[in-house]
Amino acid sequence: MALHDWNLTPEAAIALQKRLAPSVRREDTLGEVGLIAGMDIGFEDGGETTRAALVLLEWPSLTLVEQVVHREPTRMPYVPGLLSFREIPAALGAFEQLSQRPDLIMVDGQGIAHPRRLGIASHLGLWLDLPTIGVGKSRLCGQFGEVPSAKGEWAPLTDRRREEDPSDVSVDARGRVTIGAVLRSREGVKPLFVSPGHRLSLPTAVDWVVRCLGRTKLPEPTRLADRLASRKGEVALSGQLSL
DNA sequence: GCGACAG
DNA sequence: ATCTTGTCGC
């Protein structure tokens, strides 16, 4: 299927997610990490234009080495659970302009913390066959208790087991599985929802997000991508170090 | 049938 | 996500 054939009905999109979800890898397959990408989407013209922003940071300096913005007409509406079909086409357009392949990608949105375990981070990871982490600012599904107040600590995000979950996942006494972490990325601020996208485990996903944290709520990769996607013009070259 | 609902 | 002014705090 071509990139632009994603003119699916909600039913077809859901069927596709169920078919793809089993291919998502939740084990660590990370190699040496030297480049980390951050991806986010923004909109213009009241939503008619989709703007994909991509930043590439060098690890461990977290120095910005490349940034890309790609614009194209919006072709799908926002539907909870089907976000990837609306945003991935533009994201891929941005990746085509990137001169280097990242070793890890942090995406604004959920990974497997999704009703069918295929949030935008997982879907993008599958498509690019690269390790991805979902870094959401709010919850899509799942339940969680009180989140510790110290930076770096987190509470598990759990959900009832779904057919899309692997046969070997650990299920608790109540038939629930852990799909992500509600992370305190900064004291006194609403927590982040971190979940594995593709090719890495939850502990590893949380580790990388924490390692990329500065003084702000969002880790550097998505913080810079966020800024590039929201503000107009390309504003990331300098004045990036908030560490 | 009644809520919940990434960006 | 985006539309928007002022305001609180480091």
Side-chain angles (χ1 to χ4, degrees), chain A residues 104-136:
Chain A
L104 172 64
I105 306 170
M106 292 187 25
V107 182
D108 194 312
Q110 313 296 328
I112 62 170
H114 175 281
R116 289 166 292 285
R117 308 294 183 255
L118 194 77
I120 187 170
S122 298
H123 201 161
L124 183 66
L126 265 186
W127 193 288
L128 299 174
D129 189 27
L130 283 175
T132 57
I133 297 175
V135 182

Side-chain angles (χ1 to χ4, degrees), chain A residues 45-107:
Chain A
D45 311 322
E48 292 177 17
T49 299
T50 297
R51 178 179 54 239
L54 201 50
V55 294
L56 200 54
L57 308 188
E58 177 191 82
W59 173 262
S61 68
L62 288 181
T63 301
L64 179 66
V65 298
E66 190 171 350
Q67 61 177 317
V68 166
V69 174
H70 170 80
R71 274 170 244 260
E72 62 175 57
T74 300
R75 47 169 73 83
M76 304 233 79
Y78 166 67
V79 177
L82 303 181
L83 181 68
S84 63
F85 295 93
R86 170 175 164 85
E87 303 190 341
I88 284 187
L92 296 178
F95 271 97
E96 289 176 2
Q97 293 180 52
L98 207 58
S99 67
Q100 310 171 68
R101 294 277 285 179
D103 302 299
L104 172 64
I105 306 170
M106 292 187 25
V107 182

Side-chain angles (χ1 to χ4, degrees):
Chain A
M1 72 200 88
L3 194 46
H4 300 53
D5 291 342
W6 289 17
N7 224 20
L8 312 168
T9 61
E11 301 68 42
I14 288 173
L16 180 54
Q17 292 181 325
K18 291 184 176 180
R19 185 164 71 67
L20 295 177
S23 299
V24 173
R25 314 289 311 192
R26 303 185 186 186
E27 335 80 57
D28 294 307
T29 65
L30 265 302
E32 181 105 340
V33 174
L35 291 173
I36 302 177
M39 201 285 284
D40 189 26
I41 303 293
F43 297 88
E44 302 174 351
D45 311 322
E48 292 177 17
T49 299
T50 297
R51 178 179 54 239
L54 201 50
V55 294
L56 200 54
L57 308 188
E58 177 191 82
W59 173 262
S61 68
L62 288 181
T63 301
L64 179 66
V65 298
E66 190 171 350
Q67 61 177 317
V68 166
V69 174
H70 170 80
R71 274 170 244 260
E72 62 175 57
T74 300
R75 47 169 73 83
M76 304 233 79
Y78 166 67
V79 177
L82 303 181
L83 181 68
S84 63
F85 295 93
R86 170 175 164 85
E87 303 190 341
I88 284 187
L92 296 178
F95 271 97
E96 289 176 2
Q97 293 180 52
L98 207 58
S99 67
Q100 310 171 68
R101 294 277 285 179
D103 302 299
L104 172 64
I105 306 170
M106 292 187 25
V107 182
D108 194 312
Q110 313 296 328
I112 62 170
H114 175 281
R116 289 166 292 285
R117 308 294 183 255
L118 194 77
I120 187 170
S122 298
H123 201 161
L124 183 66
L126 265 186
W127 193 288
L128 299 174
D129 189 27
L130 283 175
T132 57
I133 297 175
V135 182
K137 296 186 287 295
S138 62
R139 183 196 72 94
L140 204 212
C141 69
Q143 301 279 293
F144 61 98
E146 187 173 317
V147 183
S149 57
K151 175 178 179 179
E153 298 206 88
W154 54 279
L157 179 65
T158 68
D159 191 20
R160 50 159 256 220
R161 191 186 181 170
R162 308 289 177 101
E163 306 68 67
E164 290 78 10
D165 282 308
S167 56
D168 62 345
V169 294
S170 53
V171 183
D172 68 19
R174 291 167 185 171
R176 302 182 68 80
V177 298
T178 295
I179 57 177
V182 187
L183 174 70
R184 188 117 263 158
S185 57
R186 180 181 176 170
E187 290 185 9
V189 177
K190 290 207 307 176
L192 245 36
F193 292 76
V194 178
S195 60
H198 185 47
R199 295 177 50 176
L200 42 66
S201 65
L202 176 59
T204 300
V206 173
D207 278 351
W208 278 105
V209 170
V210 171
R211 279 189 276 197
C212 291
L213 243 30
R215 301 168 184 169
T216 56
K217 168 179 175 174
L218 297 177
E220 288 302 285
T222 50
R223 185 181 74 82
L224 294 178
D226 214 283
R227 205 178 70 175
L228 194 55
S230 301
R231 302 184 181 183
K232 296 206 168 187
E234 272 91 293
V235 199
L237 280 181
S238 60
Q240 71 222 237
L241 312 187
S242 70
L243 304 179

